[in-house]
Amino acid sequence: QLQFVESGGGLVQPGGSLVLSCVASESSYRLNVMSWYRQAPGKQRELVASCTSGDVTDYGDSVRGRFTISRDYDRNTVYLQMNRLKPEDTTVYYCVADTKHDRFWGRGQQVTVSS
């Protein structure tokens, strides 16, 4: 199974910023699409951002203009830069990798936006 090391979550004030990182384990997998999802309690999983291996990006409506996804291919890492954070952004964020035939999920990170 593909393994992830996720970091960067925590507590931040409204209007502040955080950067989430997700490092994929070294393997023969080709990571066609890397994504960030989030899931609030009692809610369905929601796409936050995605990035193809050609650096084509997509964003959820609620974060577009505030969040930026990027990839470092040499380090097998995907980032999520989160700016102008709101209390509504408080939830668990998951790193997701899509290969030719499979989808892999990270364990998730808690992000809390509160004054």
Side-chain angles (χ1 to χ4, degrees):
Q1 184 181 45
L2 183 65
Q3 302 290 120
F4 299 116
V5 177
E6 298 173 272
S7 62
L11 175 65
V12 66
Q13 297 180 49
S17 298
L18 283 175
V19 180
L20 303 183
S21 299
C22 176
V23 183
S25 61
E26 186 176 355
S27 70
S28 61
Y29 290 106
R30 291 186 175 182
L31 308 179
N32 296 325
V33 181
M34 297 294 296
S35 304
W36 293 94
Y37 283 77
R38 66 187 184 185
Q39 185 170 25
K43 303 296 189 300
Q44 301 94 331
R45 285 173 177 164
E46 173 191 19
L47 174 68
V48 178
S50 65
C51 185
T52 73
S53 59
D55 292 327
V56 177
T57 59
D58 191 28
Y59 296 91
D61 291 340
S62 62
V63 307
R64 187 175 292 107
R66 298 188 297 121
F67 292 8
T68 303
I69 188 172
S70 61
R71 297 175 68 169
D72 186 330
Y73 296 94
D74 291 337
R75 299 176 182 177
N76 297 315
T77 303
V78 62
Y79 303 95
L80 184 67
Q81 174 72 55
M82 303 185 291
N83 298 323
R84 302 189 300 279
L85 283 159
K86 306 174 181 179
E88 301 93 288
D89 297 318
T90 296
T91 188
V92 178
Y93 287 72
Y94 299 88
C95 179
V96 180
D98 288 304
T99 67
K100 179 71 173 180
H101 299 110
D102 299 294
R103 169 166 282 191
F104 301 91
W105 290 81
R107 296 173 183 175
Q109 302 179 76
Q110 177 67 47
V111 172
T112 302
V113 185
S114 177
S115 59

